[in-house]
């Protein structure tokens, strides 16, 4: 089991630690509902240093990224980031990721912790054609997500740049918490605003200590992975391994907006055909009409009790106070307002297909 550079701090704060993607990670401190509300209304900090980082450089760096990702990375410029995915050769998704353009001919790819080795092998396979310089820097870097509506105000004293000027999916390489050359990125997976801070492992404790000192008067708190999951689900953001995987197509998952046919990429021809001919199933969002909690892998059934799909993500929404979830169903059940049922143990609970996000600011 690997540790992050902050594991000892999480343990000293009384975090409940669990194995996650090969790492010893804090799942909660005070409890998921309290931590969830802290991020929705104030500011909280996640240690997500288990995420993977690949540096792709050289004259053919963009060409390689264009080949292996679904979005059009040629639209990037220095200081901009882009959500994307790695399509596989059989219609599914290897992983979802964020691509950052750091310099001319240099990009940072941030991938899911559980997929670091798989993603590296996938990109390496295609790099034989391009010979871009690839460096897996995952082990040397830490990542803090400082999230919530008070994040800008709480963190402004730690940097010389104006944090309010960094727009969503933009970033700056600047001083932060007394460290030079930190990536300050207006990204995150909560839907409540804030930043993600990339720094070296040996710098992250200083950053953590300064962040909590600066944020003290704003009620800043450490947040675990359990609240990260409820926050992202309220926004309808896909979680790899649950809502998307090697067998789900980007179009089925509602990720057509990051699938651009302005260039050729892995399996682009087949995905273009799929878009043309229409989908058989779609990932939908639903709310339970009665009390209950939908969970991953629960059956979705029709009015006659026939299984029509499975829940990929589900929880009791702390913000809405009702059961919410995502799941794949045949296209005929995918329209907003469609009625489905979720099999919660032995009870079939009615649910309604709704438009994302569940949580609206």
């Amino acid at each position: 089991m690997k540790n992050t550079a902050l594991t000892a701090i999480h343990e000293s704060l009384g975090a409940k630690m669990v194995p996650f993607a090969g790492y010893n990670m804090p799942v909660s401190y005070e409890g998921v509902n309290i931590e969830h509300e802290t991020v929705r209304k104030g500011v909280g900090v996640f240690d997500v240093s288990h995420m993977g980082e690949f540096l792709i450089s050289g004259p053919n760096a963009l060409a390689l990224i264009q080949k292996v990702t679904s979005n059009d990375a040629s639209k990037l410029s220095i200081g901009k980031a882009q959500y994307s995915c790695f399509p596989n050769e059989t219609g599914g998704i290897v992983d979802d990721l964020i691509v950052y353009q750091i310099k001319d001919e240099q990009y940072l790819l941030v991938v899911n912790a559980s997929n670091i080795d798989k993603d590296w092998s996938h990109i390496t396979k295609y790099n034989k054609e391009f010979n871009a310089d690839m460096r897996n820097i995952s082990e040397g870097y830490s990542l803090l997500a400082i999230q919530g509506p008070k994040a800008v105000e709480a963190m402004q004293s730690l940097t010389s740049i104006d944090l309010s000027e960094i727009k969503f999916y933009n970033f700056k390489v600047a001083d932060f918490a007394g460290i030079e050359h930190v990536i300050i990125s207006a990204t995150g997976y909560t839907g409540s605003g804030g930043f993600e801070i990339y720094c070296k492992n040996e710098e992250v404790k200083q950053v953590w200590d300064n962040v909590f000192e600066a944020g003290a008067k704003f009620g800043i708190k450490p947040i675990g992975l359990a609240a990260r999951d409820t926050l992202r689900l309220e926004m309808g953001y896909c979680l790899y391994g649950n809502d998307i995987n090697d067998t789900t197509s980007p179009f089925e998952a509602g990720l057509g907006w990051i699938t651009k046919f302005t260039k050729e990429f892995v399996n682009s021809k087949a995905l273009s055909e799929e878009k043309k001919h229409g989908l058989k199933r779609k990932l939908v969002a639903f709310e339970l009409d009665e009390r209950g909690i939908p969970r991953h892998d629960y059956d979705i059934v029709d009015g006659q009790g026939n299984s029509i799909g499975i829940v990929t993500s589900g929880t009791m929404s702390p913000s809405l106070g009702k059961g919410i979830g995502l799941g794949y169903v045949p296209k005929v059940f995918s329209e907003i307002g469609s009625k489905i049922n979720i099999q919660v143990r032995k009870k079939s609970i009615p649910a309604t297909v709704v438009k994302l996000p569940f949580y609206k600011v």
Side-chain angles (χ1 to χ4, degrees):
M1 194 66 61
K2 294 177 184 171
N3 290 315
T4 75
L6 297 171
T7 296
I9 288 177
H10 302 313
E11 289 172 342
S12 74
L13 291 169
K16 182 184 175 189
M17 306 295 287
V18 298
F20 183 82
Y23 280 81
N24 189 20
M25 297 297 291
V27 70
S28 65
Y29 299 83
E30 291 181 86
V32 62
N33 288 356
I34 294 169
E35 292 168 35
H36 183 107
E37 190 169 327
T38 295
V39 175
R40 283 282 180 251
K41 295 183 176 172
V43 58
V45 184
F46 305 80
D47 176 11
V48 282
S49 303
H50 59 317
M51 299 290 279
E53 293 90 15
F54 304 155
L55 207 55
I56 314 289
S57 311
N60 288 338
L62 177 59
L64 171 62
I65 291 165
Q66 289 288 67
K67 177 70 176 181
V68 297
T69 65
S70 62
N71 211 335
D72 188 352
S74 71
K75 302 289 186 203
L76 286 169
S77 53
I78 296 167
K80 292 198 178 294
Q82 181 185 75
Y83 182 60
S84 193
C85 78
F86 298 126
N88 65 20
E89 297 83 357
T90 54
I93 298 170
V94 179
D95 201 4
D96 61 336
L97 72 152
I98 298 179
V99 181
Y100 294 83
Q101 184 168 359
I102 306 294
K103 301 175 184 170
D104 284 331
E105 300 185 352
Q106 187 177 77
Y107 299 82
L108 180 70
L109 275 49
V110 180
V111 304
N112 284 300
S114 54
N115 290 335
I116 292 172
D117 293 341
K118 181 175 81 159
D119 293 352
W120 183 259
S121 297
H122 181 75
I123 303 168
T124 301
K125 180 172 67 180
Y126 286 98
N127 193 34
K128 287 171 187 159
E129 181 189 338
F130 300 98
N131 204 27
D133 180 59
M134 289 174 56
R135 287 173 56 209
N136 182 354
I137 59 172
S138 308
E139 295 283 336
Y141 278 77
S142 292
L143 173 55
L144 298 181
I146 305 165
Q147 298 282 291
K150 293 182 181 173
V152 171
E153 194 183 354
M155 295 299 108
Q156 185 55 65
S157 65
L158 296 181
T159 180
S160 61
I161 61 166
D162 186 347
L163 292 176
S164 67
E165 287 184 355
I166 307 177
K167 294 186 171 66
F168 195 44
Y169 269 77
N170 284 250
F171 70 94
K172 296 269 190 193
V173 179
D175 61 288
F176 188 82
I179 309 284
E180 295 297 324
H181 309 301
V182 170
I183 294 176
I184 307 169
S185 173
T187 47
Y189 229 50
T190 66
S192 282
F195 300 93
E196 294 186 303
I197 306 292
Y198 296 83
C199 63
K200 290 177 180 168
N201 288 345
E202 56 269 27
E203 299 167 340
V204 73
K205 186 181 182 300
Q206 180 178 325
V207 173
W208 176 278
D209 290 344
N210 278 269
V211 161
F212 276 88
E213 194 178 322
K217 63 184 177 194
F218 298 92
I220 199 166
K221 290 180 178 180
I223 313 295
L225 293 181
R228 189 169 186 250
D229 194 48
T230 55
L231 288 156
R232 71 92 196 164
L233 183 49
E234 285 187 346
M235 299 309 296
Y237 296 152
C238 288
L239 176 65
Y240 195 89
N242 282 41
D243 314 302
I244 50 176
N245 59 37
D246 289 300
T247 68
T248 57
S249 92
F251 289 105
E252 290 176 336
L255 298 178
W257 63 281
I258 62 163
T259 309
K260 305 285 172 58
F261 298 111
T262 48
K263 45 127 195 192
E264 271 190 37
F265 57 87
V266 174
N267 207 40
S268 57
K269 202 171 281 185
L271 287 171
S272 177
E273 286 296 307
E274 181 186 56
K275 184 184 182 185
K276 205 183 294 176
H277 295 301
L279 304 170
K280 290 184 178 143
R281 64 171 191 163
K282 284 180 82 174
L283 185 68
V284 298
F286 63 84
E287 293 180 355
L288 295 192
D289 299 336
E290 297 172 9
R291 192 145 185 86
I293 306 176
R295 299 286 186 203
H296 175 64
D297 274 351
Y298 280 9
D299 275 332
I300 302 174
V301 298
D302 63 15
Q304 285 72 49
N306 302 306
S307 180
I308 56 169
I310 59 156
V311 175
T312 54
S313 289
T315 194
M316 173 62 73
S317 163
S319 300
L320 306 178
K322 62 172 80 168
I324 62 169
L326 302 173
Y328 286 93
V329 296
K331 199 172 173 215
V332 66
F333 292 97
S334 68
E335 293 298 316
I336 304 301
S338 294
K339 294 294 180 182
I340 55 176
N341 296 274
I342 311 301
Q343 197 67 38
V344 179
R345 298 188 184 88
K346 291 181 180 175
K347 193 178 177 191
S348 181
I349 299 181
T352 303
V353 174
V354 297
K355 190 176 184 216
L356 287 171
F358 295 104
Y359 174 79
K360 295 166 181 72
V361 182

